[in-house]
Amino acid sequence: MKKQISNLSLNRVEGEVELKLQKDKNGVIEDAFITAYNFRGFEDILKGKDLLDTLVITPRICGICGHSHLTANVNAIENLYRENGFNIEVTQKAKIIRQLTQCSEIIQNHIKWFYLFVMPDFLKLDPSEKFVEYRPFTGKHWKNALKISSDIIKIVAIFGGQWPHTSYSLPGGITSDPLKTDLVEAMSIVDSTLKFVESNIIGIDAESYLSMADYQEFMNKTSGGSLKDFIELSFKNGMEKIGKSYGHFITVSNVYPCIQEAVIKKKRCKFNIKKVKEVKESSGYSIVQPVRYDGLPMETGPLARRLTSNTDLFVNLNSVFSDSYLVRVWARVDEIVRILVNMKDWISKIKLSEKSYIKPKDYKLLSGVALGLTEAARGSLIHRIEVSKGKIVDYNIITPTVWNLGPRCKNYRGVAEKAIVGIDNDLKAQMVLRSFDVCSVCLVH
Amino acid sequence: MVRKLLKEKKREEIVKVASRLFSERGFYNTTIPDIAEAVGMSVGNFYNYFESKEDLAKYIMQYSSSILGEEIRKISQMDVSTKEKVFLIVRRFIEIAQERPELIDYFLRIFLSNREVFSEGCEGFLCVGEVVTELMLFLEEGARKGDFRQQDFFPAFVTIMGPLGGLVFLKGEGILPKNPIEYANEIGENIWRALKSDEKV
Amino acid sequence: MESLKVRRKSLIWISGLTCNGNSHSFLSSSSLSFDAFLNSVNILFHPALTYDREFKDIYKDILEGKLKLDFLIVEGAVSKKKTKVYFQGFDIYEILENLKNIAEYIIAVGNCASFGNFPALYSEDVVGLNFRFNQRNGFFEGDFTTKSGMPIINISGCPAHPEWIIKTVLSLSYGYDLKLGSLQRPKDFYMYLTHDGCTRNQYFEWKVEAEEFGTKEGCLFYYLGCRGPLTHSSCNKILWNDKSSKTRAGMPCIGCTEFDFPLRGKYFETKLNIGIPEEVPLGVSKRAYIMLSGVAKTFTNHRLKGKLEEAD
Ligand code: SF4
């Protein structure tokens, strides 16, 4: 019998993605190919631009993680100052505020993704009335999710003027000089978001949740909520068994105290940027070049972060269910809690008397190569700049989505492609793909 | 209308006489009766034109600034190269200094030396706004076209005004061997070379 | 009672070459506005929201006349060539051609759909819906109009403000005709300048200039590149995320609602020629601006001399 091929165009992902599935005679997926469309040529557009102008351009690569691009960009330029032997000073105040706003963007992302992209898939698997509140447009949970994600993102507006697409963070600090009452406002937003998360998502107070080490304990103690609904639905549909990939993880940057950089191959080891390589070979079906660490494909993102940060709950989940759909999605939801509980502490550490910005030397003096790393909502983001006298010679970006959804090299399939092989259902294949929080606009930029 | 014009004319006459008197005798040694007498009017009538000596002093500055500003504006708007404009401005300035020496003398000897008189209502650029504005526009346009080198405004401003002031001063002291206008081209060349961008000849 | 019920207007949202920033801006609107929107508008398809129907089926129903289409919202630049930009597996070229005479209104949301923006820098054939930068040679050329008789409506901005999107659609649904400016942007939002309502207005008036970033004090116009007085937007009237604006947060306005946004560059410094700004606020001559600022600079507004906190 002829091999079956199906081409699926996905909605409820960021951007335009096509999933091509090749199936055996029993309908089991033998191979999967991910293609992203709508190339915009950002790396070319950046060539020849003034170094500081990149701060306006790179956030526009992605409408949902623009702040992370800004951070990677700023980090790269600040590193370039250091490479050029200039001192660049950034106050604690500016550093904390940058982290606070970037993390607000991450939380916004995870909440939207979970309620808008993940949960509706289960409505298709279980169309009963039981989960009506998850229905797009009409369901209470869906509407709440939009409200809460719009609330948390106000923190970016308070410090950075607007979201999406501020460029308020720049080499030397930040542009704003907040008031005490701005801090109070940010504090209240964190508070009410955390309340929402506790009562609607995890169904237990954050502190107890974070002290748990295994899933059974969670299921026993939670009073219910979307996470519990999700876990039950996952088990019911066998989602703890599918979606497994290589079990290699990468995290390239720290967010104290919740994210630690490291790499997990067979064992956990130190991250070494020199081992990151883009494979210069054409896959034949994707315009994206695969990226490998030490020659290996790596998963990046919240699940990677939980494992590289040695979080008990996820070390346990991973040992039982490995890197399945269930665990990957849970890690994304979990990150909302883990970051939120730290945000108040960060705000309380902001010393308003410190400067927001310390003007560095003229950027036109800068030449050479530098890297900027950060952890975005979807994982590790790397910007590499090559500069001559303050102008961009070459700008290269490796997005989290390239790690997760990039194509195969001659030795390995892409991470998400591998996770889809073996599934026997188109919808579930799509769900596994969505578990990586697809962002094709970042994939092809 | 006619009344107004007549009044303007009278004011001009007062300006002409007063600026000469001020420059010759100094601000404090010149009184309103002196001025009234020189113009041929009564002291009482003088007050119909100016409230006080200070008021007159400031008006003279504004008056000269607007004459000079107007001339710079005319040249700025001409359809000739930036370099030619520099030469024209220099030439015109020297001409005015010759036609109306009292105004330039007034600027050098009174405005610059008796700042206390001008401390209210004439501080900064208030009374010389037109000249400064027109020079700003002229310099901005030249730099925008790439004819002038980029720099701060003030160095560029004094590069133009400095030589002109100096020339008029030397003339006033009676030590210039030649007629000032004969130096116009050389000064024009100096100013142009000082301001032009490196690519220009 | 039935007769009192007004048919909810229908809308589909399609995306071309975009970062999806307008979608996320839209989704970050205040819940009050968003609710009002959902009450009046039936979103037949939005790529991030719709779950129960596939685009291809809705598209087919529209083409066959089974579904009426009131609003076609386009986010992102498109191409004048076929097989360049795709949406849900369809060539967006084909979608636009097929829907151009069916949709009552076509609305370009964001600078990419309005003017081409950054993606247009990459390729000649990449355009906005009606414009490529300020030329009327976008995907639809000249004075193309839709069924309603309106031209393409541009909600420019990188991204567009959610309230501008929502209120434009709602105004049209409620039957108001919106007055558009020369770049086909609704006057209600774009007759203002970003400068209008900025918390730094006093500093602008008295020419107290910020020379460095990171302070509440000082106007960003003279040295730090602010385009507030040259940019049409209501960013400082209808605040972002209900909270603030870039200029309030000390970031210069980069003029992202204007067609020349990607063409300009040097976003963080003001172009000065011999110390004089090359461009001055819209509506005044350079002479007038220089005169006035010269005067303003001569005086000191004592409130603006030091830290704002210390002023009476
Ligand atoms: S910062 Fe910009 S918008 Fe604000 S007052 Fe100054 S020029 Fe206007």
Side-chain angles (χ1 to χ4, degrees):
Chain A
M1 203 176 117
K2 237 181 85 197
K3 295 232 189 251
Q4 260 183 279
I5 303 274
S6 42
N7 284 311
L8 311 172
S9 293
L10 263 70
N11 63 350
R12 282 178 302 110
V13 297
E14 296 296 327
E16 193 61 16
V17 184
E18 196 171 84
L19 177 59
K20 184 170 146 194
L21 302 174
Q22 185 180 306
K23 298 171 196 166
D24 70 10
K25 57 183 186 306
N26 301 318
V28 175
I29 296 165
E30 278 183 326
D31 207 350
F33 303 85
I34 296 165
T35 311
Y37 292 96
N38 297 352
F39 179 65
R40 287 171 295 157
F42 263 91
E43 284 164 344
D44 281 293
I45 292 168
L46 284 159
K47 282 201 182 103
K49 293 281 182 211
D50 233 60
L51 188 53
L52 286 191
D53 286 346
T54 61
L55 300 170
V56 167
I57 302 171
T58 65
R60 289 171 163 80
I61 290 171
C62 178
I64 195 159
C65 65
H67 192 313
S68 295
H69 282 285
L70 178 65
T71 302
N73 193 338
V74 170
N75 288 347
I77 300 178
E78 287 180 350
N79 284 334
L80 186 62
Y81 271 102
R82 294 181 192 108
E83 299 277 335
N84 277 256
F86 296 125
N87 183 32
I88 182 147
E89 223 184 306
V90 180
T91 59
Q92 249 343 81
K93 168 181 162 189
K95 284 185 192 159
I96 298 175
I97 293 176
R98 284 172 175 178
Q99 175 168 304
L100 187 69
T101 50
Q102 187 176 338
C103 283
S104 306
E105 180 177 87
I106 292 178
I107 293 171
Q108 164 272 150
N109 178 82
H110 292 344
I111 293 177
K112 259 190 219 163
W113 166 81
F114 179 66
Y115 283 103
L116 272 57
F117 297 174
V118 172
M119 291 308 280
D121 279 328
F122 288 103
L123 297 177
K124 294 186 180 171
L125 291 172
D126 182 352
S128 75
E129 287 297 297
K130 209 171 143 204
F131 298 105
V132 284
E133 299 299 0
Y134 289 102
R135 274 194 196 149
F137 301 114
T138 53
K140 186 180 82 200
H141 295 323
W142 188 89
K143 286 188 174 177
N144 275 341
L146 277 182
K147 180 180 180 305
I148 290 298
S149 62
S150 309
D151 282 349
I152 190 76
I153 210 64
K154 291 183 197 298
I155 292 179
V156 185
I158 292 170
F159 297 100
Q162 73 175 68
W163 187 89
H165 292 344
T166 174
S167 305
Y168 91 106
S169 167
L170 68 182
I174 56 172
T175 63
S176 62
D177 180 21
L179 300 163
K180 293 184 199 85
T181 44
D182 291 330
L183 301 187
V184 169
E185 189 161 30
M187 207 67 109
S188 332
I189 293 172
V190 171
D191 252 344
S192 68
T193 309
L194 190 58
K195 280 243 154 56
F196 171 87
V197 170
E198 288 177 335
S199 58
N200 289 271
I201 301 184
I202 53 179
I204 189 169
D205 67 285
E207 208 183 315
S208 315
Y209 170 80
L210 292 174
S211 67
M212 290 176 190
D214 77 84
Y215 98 98
Q216 208 46 62
E217 188 186 352
F218 171 72
M219 294 305 272
N220 293 340
K221 287 190 180 159
T222 175
S223 63
S226 300
L227 181 56
K228 189 175 182 215
D229 289 347
F230 164 77
I231 294 169
E232 282 171 355
L233 282 165
S234 291
F235 279 117
K236 202 169 135 201
N237 293 288
M239 303 306 283
E240 81 284 15
K241 296 195 203 81
I242 63 170
K244 298 174 189 174
S245 190
Y246 296 99
H248 300 154
F249 301 99
I250 189 167
T251 303
V252 303
S253 177
N254 295 303
V255 180
Y256 182 78
C258 36
I259 295 174
Q260 273 173 45
E261 66 167 53
V263 167
I264 297 175
K265 293 189 278 185
K266 281 205 177 70
K267 290 205 314 273
R268 184 176 184 279
C269 47
K270 271 185 74 149
F271 164 67
N272 176 357
I273 183 70
K274 295 212 175 73
K275 296 188 172 174
V276 175
K277 291 255 150 56
E278 281 184 291
V279 184
K280 306 275 178 217
E281 61 188 50
S282 165
S283 60
Y285 60 94
S286 175
I287 51 172
V288 183
Q289 284 175 342
V291 58
R292 297 291 179 258
Y293 183 86
D294 216 1
L296 297 172
M298 291 276 149
E299 173 170 350
T300 187
L303 175 56
R305 293 196 278 250
R306 289 291 54 83
L307 297 171
T308 57
S309 311
N310 265 324
T311 306
D312 288 348
L313 176 61
F314 282 84
V315 172
N316 286 338
L317 281 170
N318 187 47
S319 70
V320 185
F321 303 111
S322 45
D323 49 344
S324 60
Y325 174 92
L326 166 77
V327 182
R328 186 173 299 116
V329 173
W330 189 342
R332 289 186 141 78
V333 178
D334 173 274
E335 194 162 83
I336 301 170
V337 192
R338 232 164 267 274
I339 291 177
L340 263 177
V341 292
N342 286 298
M343 283 172 86
K344 271 176 86 168
D345 188 43
W346 298 340
I347 298 173
S348 69
K349 291 208 168 82
I350 296 171
K351 289 207 190 73
L352 287 177
S353 58
E354 289 177 358
K355 286 194 158 205
S356 290
Y357 173 78
I358 299 170
K359 194 178 171 156
K361 281 246 160 31
D362 187 356
Y363 69 91
K364 294 183 198 84
L365 302 170
L366 303 178
S367 293
V369 174
L371 293 169
L373 311 181
T374 195
E375 284 295 314
R378 293 169 182 72
S380 306
L381 172 62
I382 302 175
H383 281 204
R384 178 187 175 278
I385 52 175
E386 194 181 325
V387 177
S388 168
K389 298 207 187 84
K391 287 222 182 299
I392 295 292
V393 176
D394 190 59
Y395 207 122
N396 186 46
I397 299 166
I398 299 174
T399 61
T401 316
V402 173
W403 289 102
N404 290 337
L405 278 84
R408 62 203 57 199
C409 59
K410 64 177 186 302
N411 299 325
Y412 298 98
R413 285 191 184 99
V415 171
E417 289 174 346
K418 153 105 169 138
I420 289 168
V421 170
I423 298 174
D424 57 2
N425 170 309
D426 283 5
L427 176 58
K428 286 186 180 175
Q430 290 189 31
M431 288 170 74
V432 167
L433 186 55
R434 280 198 193 97
S435 73
F436 288 94
D437 194 355
V438 178
C439 181
S440 86
V441 301
C442 271
L443 189 56
V444 287
H445 48 276
Chain B
M1 198 58 208
V2 176
R3 278 270 276 294
K4 220 175 151 195
L5 273 178
L6 281 177
K7 194 166 181 187
E8 265 316 300
K9 256 197 108 161
K10 200 73 189 170
R11 278 167 87 98
E12 244 181 75
E13 211 183 316
I14 299 174
V15 165
K16 205 171 156 89
V17 170
S19 49
R20 185 173 47 81
L21 288 181
F22 282 141
S23 328
E24 281 169 15
R25 305 182 190 171
F27 181 76
Y28 295 105
N29 293 331
T30 310
T31 61
I32 290 181
D34 295 344
I35 299 168
E37 195 195 314
V39 181
M41 67 198 314
S42 71
V43 171
N45 194 15
F46 174 91
Y47 286 106
N48 288 329
Y49 295 89
F50 296 99
E51 277 172 27
S52 63
K53 202 163 84 171
E54 281 74 18
D55 186 28
L56 170 62
K58 288 172 200 161
Y59 180 80
I60 298 175
M61 235 15 259
Q62 284 165 340
Y63 174 83
S64 348
S65 164
S66 71
I67 289 186
L68 199 52
E70 180 60 27
E71 294 298 322
I72 299 171
R73 162 155 42 178
K74 276 189 211 147
I75 295 167
S76 259
Q77 288 169 347
M78 285 164 74
D79 191 17
V80 297
S81 70
T82 305
K83 182 176 175 180
E84 280 171 85
K85 287 180 187 173
V86 171
F87 281 72
L88 287 170
I89 290 174
V90 169
R91 181 162 287 274
R92 195 67 200 110
F93 184 91
I94 297 173
E95 282 167 8
I96 294 173
Q98 286 182 320
E99 290 159 15
R100 309 285 305 263
E102 73 283 0
L103 294 182
I104 308 287
D105 274 350
Y106 179 84
F107 176 75
L108 291 172
R109 291 171 203 280
I110 305 299
F111 185 68
L112 295 184
S113 341
N114 297 95
R115 297 303 300 142
E116 66 288 352
V117 177
F118 301 92
S119 66
E120 218 170 280
C122 228
E123 56 269 53
F125 285 156
L126 279 188
C127 288
V128 290
E130 266 118 326
V131 178
V132 178
T133 302
E134 293 308 328
L135 281 177
M136 279 183 166
L137 289 166
F138 172 61
L139 287 167
E140 194 275 333
E141 191 191 14
R144 177 154 35 90
K145 288 183 179 158
D147 296 337
F148 290 143
R149 207 173 63 247
Q150 290 291 4
Q151 55 179 304
D152 275 353
F153 170 69
F154 289 106
F157 178 72
V158 297
T159 301
I160 297 181
M161 295 315 281
L164 295 174
L167 188 78
V168 174
F169 174 77
L170 292 177
K171 157 84 174 140
E173 297 299 302
I175 35 183
L176 267 192
K178 286 194 258 179
N179 186 327
I181 202 76
E182 291 181 49
Y183 298 102
N185 276 351
E186 255 166 279
I187 294 177
E189 183 71 29
N190 286 349
I191 295 176
W192 165 248
R193 287 196 195 190
L195 293 180
K196 76 182 180 62
S197 65
D198 294 343
E199 301 84 62
K200 296 282 160 186
V201 284
Chain C
M1 278 312 280
E2 203 41 40
S3 62
L4 284 178
K5 265 202 188 154
V6 183
R7 182 182 64 87
R8 281 203 303 165
K9 303 284 180 195
S10 63
L11 174 152
I12 63 174
W13 180 304
I14 66 175
S15 323
L17 300 174
T18 177
C19 70
N20 290 338
N22 297 286
S23 279
H24 288 291
S25 177
F26 173 64
L27 294 178
S28 311
S29 60
S30 80
S31 46
L32 204 66
S33 305
F34 198 73
D35 274 349
F37 191 81
L38 291 186
N39 288 338
S40 304
V41 178
N42 177 13
I43 303 180
L44 297 174
F45 192 85
H46 182 291
L49 307 179
T50 307
Y51 86 108
D52 51 350
R53 293 196 69 188
E54 305 246 351
F55 176 74
K56 65 174 191 310
D57 302 325
I58 292 164
Y59 183 40
K60 189 162 164 270
D61 282 357
I62 293 171
L63 291 180
E64 288 172 359
K66 289 186 198 144
L67 275 174
K68 184 170 162 34
L69 180 62
D70 295 299
F71 297 102
L72 173 63
I73 309 279
V74 182
E75 167 175 21
V78 296
S79 170
K80 287 183 108 161
K81 292 198 180 136
K82 291 184 182 173
T83 70
K84 282 275 206 125
V85 186
Y86 290 90
F87 179 72
Q88 295 289 309
F90 292 89
D91 190 340
I92 207 159
Y93 185 100
E94 177 207 317
I95 301 179
L96 289 175
E97 277 300 324
N98 287 338
L99 296 182
K100 70 177 180 195
N101 296 322
I102 292 181
E104 287 289 331
Y105 301 96
I106 302 182
I107 302 179
V109 161
N111 252 40
C112 294
S114 299
F115 308 124
N117 206 11
F118 283 103
L121 290 184
Y122 181 66
S123 173
E124 277 292 322
D125 56 271
V126 172
V127 294
L129 289 189
N130 199 177
F131 288 86
R132 186 169 194 275
F133 304 118
N134 59 344
Q135 301 298 307
R136 280 176 190 273
N137 59 354
F139 188 89
F140 302 113
E141 299 195 344
D143 35 22
F144 169 83
T145 51
T146 55
K147 247 175 110 181
S148 61
M150 292 276 271
I152 302 288
I153 299 168
N154 290 324
I155 319 275
S156 67
C158 189
H161 191 294
E163 295 296 319
W164 309 341
I165 306 172
I166 288 179
K167 297 216 170 92
T168 298
V169 173
L170 288 186
S171 305
L172 296 168
S173 327
Y174 296 161
Y176 290 108
D177 55 341
L178 283 178
K179 190 171 158 62
L180 305 180
S182 56
L183 292 171
Q184 288 162 211
R185 300 177 291 191
K187 282 279 183 187
D188 276 41
F189 307 112
Y190 299 91
M191 68 185 178
Y192 298 98
L193 300 180
T194 312
H195 176 69
D196 301 340
C198 175
T199 49
R200 295 166 193 269
N201 276 177
Q202 283 220 41
Y203 293 96
F204 179 88
E205 281 160 25
W206 295 98
K207 295 291 127 205
V208 179
E209 312 293 345
E211 288 178 36
E212 281 182 17
F213 294 109
T215 62
K216 288 183 269 294
E217 295 80 11
C219 166
L220 313 167
F221 179 70
Y222 209 90
Y223 295 112
L224 300 180
C226 186
R227 312 241 348 141
L230 290 137
T231 301
H232 299 86
S233 94
S234 25
C235 290
N236 271 307
K237 175 174 182 275
I238 307 175
L239 296 181
W240 280 86
N241 312 90
D242 291 338
K243 287 291 167 232
S244 193
S245 71
K246 289 206 280 294
T247 62
R248 289 181 179 208
M251 192 196 147
C253 165
I254 50 180
C256 74
T257 52
E258 301 297 350
F259 74 86
D260 62 351
F261 167 51
L263 304 172
R264 262 187 272 110
K266 296 255 186 198
Y267 298 107
F268 296 96
E269 60 188 274
T270 306
K271 174 82 176 115
L272 298 176
N273 294 315
I274 311 209
I276 319 296
E278 179 162 318
E279 290 175 88
V280 297
L282 286 181
V284 295
S285 70
K286 200 173 281 179
R287 177 170 288 109
Y289 172 75
I290 290 175
M291 277 271 196
L292 242 119
S293 30
V295 173
K297 258 205 175 102
T298 303
F299 299 103
T300 313
N301 181 328
H302 292 281
R303 288 195 76 245
L304 308 181
K305 260 178 35 193
K307 283 273 158 202
L308 200 49
E309 282 185 322
E310 309 299 335
D312 278 326

